[in-house]
Amino acid sequence: MTGDEQQFREQWGRVVAVLVGRFGDVDLAEEAAQEAFAIAVERWPAERGPVPTGWLVTTARNRAIDRIRRDRTLASKAHLLGAVAEAEVPMGTPVIRDERLELIFLCCHPALAVEAQVALTLRTLGGLTTKEIARSFLVPEATMAQRLVRAKHKIRAAAIPFRVPPPEFLPERLAAVLAVVYLVFNEGFGGRDELADEAIWLGGALAGLLPDEPEVHGLLAMMLLHDSRRAARHRGGDLVVLADQDRSLWDAGRIDAGRQELGQALALGGRGPYVLQAQIAASHAVDGSDWARIADLYADLAVRTGSPVVELNRAVAVAESAGPGAGLAVLEGLPLEEYRYLHSTRAELLARLGRTEEAAEAYRRALELTDDPAEERLLRGRVASLGQA
């Protein structure tokens, strides 16, 4: 990822959130933000360091105002020009309060289908491409593009407000909001640190907003515990699996903070999916993971979610506690043929059973489904280790 792309990822959600708050139009905000980043690439010398968020917001806001003025349907958007009277945003001054949280609640309005809520927020806040979002949902890119267009149209048509809703309306949006934060973190955990940081910030903001919701604390705990391994997940650009990670590189502060959040969730009587995932992550944070307990937690999680991906993770835990054959039996029949981790997990278990040709074939199928260079190197190394290169 280039320096410009990195900065885009880090600041996109903040800039779009401010613009949506000013203009109430998601498409306008995204278009103006794109123009501001393009202008920054041309005009902001690299030696001056990162472009301040305030500069990007001011530039994007001005582009949005210009676009409104040029619009032939200006009369229908005249109310948006009230933004012109707002004070300029000085460069280098803070422009973000809770706009990102407000943007999530805008996108997660119950008038939208839950999948559309999640997808729209991943696009507007996380800056993910339609292709990346489609991959997260395991659907074709064209299908996801249609969902995003419909969601934006519905926001405009229903005049959904940009704000955190009153307390009595928070519970009906919480499931989708937590799903958004969870998926943003998952994208970040794949190597985009700025997205992981964004998700953890949002998790903390939600915990402050909803301190009595155990699932909020559970999600934050899970993210902190997983993120504690950030420095150990890659070595020389190569991906390092959990069993091979140098635990001395794990962030003890993150682990302690995660355990505290988990303790708060359990004290509130939490037993939902995010609390269960936090318990699993906490089990990995100690030497000598209790794989039988982890398998039981995944079994409970599978019952609550009905997710085949959870079953895939349960298969890994079962393999560690009861042997690769037992783990392979759990994998059979899972509807995840286009999910690369099904094939890489199956390959690992087949290799342990000495079924090298089948293992190599499964690794190759996983290779076909990944576009992550670090994963590709890991999988090619696995095939070579089987003598099947």
Side-chain angles (χ1 to χ4, degrees):
M1 184 180 294
T2 67
D4 291 335
E5 291 171 333
Q6 179 75 14
Q7 182 163 236
F8 172 90
R9 293 290 188 184
E10 290 175 352
Q11 302 201 72
W12 171 263
R14 294 172 174 166
V15 174
V16 170
V18 173
L19 294 176
V20 173
R22 296 280 173 84
F23 299 103
D25 188 316
V26 175
D27 281 328
L28 177 66
E30 289 187 341
E31 291 167 4
Q34 288 172 349
E35 291 183 19
F37 279 100
I39 292 169
V41 170
E42 294 177 359
R43 301 182 185 177
W44 194 270
E47 59 270 15
R48 292 179 64 183
V51 184
T53 304
W55 188 95
L56 288 166
V57 169
T58 299
T59 303
R61 188 197 58 191
N62 291 339
R63 301 300 291 181
I65 291 171
D66 289 344
R67 184 175 291 271
I68 293 169
R69 284 174 170 154
R70 292 196 307 266
D71 199 303
R72 286 181 296 180
T73 60
L74 179 60
S76 66
K77 294 189 176 182
H79 65 286
L80 298 178
L81 287 173
V84 176
E86 293 185 3
E88 290 291 322
V89 181
M91 288 186 292
T93 61
V95 295
I96 303 299
R97 298 180 306 279
D98 288 328
E99 284 93 345
R100 287 171 288 174
L101 199 57
E102 290 176 330
L103 180 57
I104 283 186
F105 279 100
L106 168 71
C107 296
C108 293
H109 193 280
L112 305 175
V114 172
E115 287 189 348
Q117 295 171 21
V118 176
L120 183 60
T121 313
L122 288 172
R123 174 74 191 108
T124 57
L125 186 70
L128 274 66
T129 66
T130 303
K131 180 179 180 180
E132 290 167 336
I133 300 169
R135 187 177 64 210
S136 296
F137 279 86
L138 305 180
V139 300
E141 184 176 352
T143 300
M144 184 53 63
Q146 291 174 354
R147 289 181 187 174
L148 289 168
V149 169
R150 286 196 297 267
K152 291 177 181 179
H153 175 75
K154 193 154 193 176
I155 285 175
R156 287 194 299 271
I160 294 174
F162 176 81
R163 62 183 173 88
V164 174
E168 62 269 24
F169 295 114
L170 289 175
E172 68 182 2
R173 301 197 197 181
L174 184 58
V177 169
L178 293 179
V180 165
V181 177
Y182 178 71
L183 286 174
V184 170
F185 179 77
N186 279 350
E187 285 294 328
F189 194 66
R192 293 176 179 166
D193 294 347
E194 75 285 350
L195 285 180
D197 290 337
E198 182 86 354
I200 291 170
W201 181 90
L202 288 165
L206 284 169
L209 182 67
L210 299 163
D212 296 326
E213 290 286 347
E215 282 288 80
V216 173
H217 293 285
L219 175 59
L220 181 55
M222 182 272 291
M223 293 189 296
L224 288 165
L225 289 163
H226 281 306
D227 196 62
S228 70
R229 306 198 299 267
R230 182 187 295 189
R233 293 190 69 245
H234 291 86
R235 184 186 302 129
D238 290 330
L239 187 64
V240 182
V241 298
L242 177 62
D244 297 332
Q245 288 177 11
D246 180 355
R247 288 177 175 249
S248 69
L249 297 176
W250 289 10
D251 188 327
R254 280 280 209 240
I255 292 173
D256 288 343
R259 286 172 173 161
Q260 289 177 15
E261 290 294 331
L262 176 57
Q264 179 69 9
L266 294 172
L268 290 167
R271 191 63 185 173
Y274 295 113
V275 175
L276 287 170
Q277 289 180 74
Q279 289 180 286
I280 292 167
S283 297
H284 285 306
V286 297
D287 289 330
S289 301
D290 185 346
W291 286 106
R293 170 172 164 71
I294 291 171
D296 288 342
L297 288 168
Y298 271 125
D300 193 352
L301 186 61
V303 170
R304 290 173 180 271
T305 64
S307 168
V309 174
V310 172
E311 278 291 281
L312 171 60
N313 284 303
R314 185 172 76 87
V316 174
V318 168
E320 294 295 335
S321 61
L328 198 60
V330 176
L331 290 181
E332 295 304 322
L334 291 182
L336 294 170
E337 282 303 311
E338 299 302 311
Y339 191 54
R340 63 189 185 275
Y341 296 124
L342 170 72
H343 300 286
S344 60
T345 301
R346 185 169 181 273
E348 175 68 22
L349 300 184
L350 288 167
R352 292 187 194 180
L353 291 169
R355 295 159 62 178
T356 56
E357 290 186 7
E358 292 174 85
E361 182 180 350
Y363 276 132
R364 292 190 187 101
R365 178 58 180 148
L367 268 167
E368 292 174 357
L369 294 171
T370 187
D371 55 7
D372 183 290
E375 283 187 6
E376 288 179 0
R377 289 192 295 273
L378 177 67
L379 293 170
R380 292 188 192 283
R382 291 284 199 263
V383 174
S385 70
L386 295 173
Q388 299 287 322

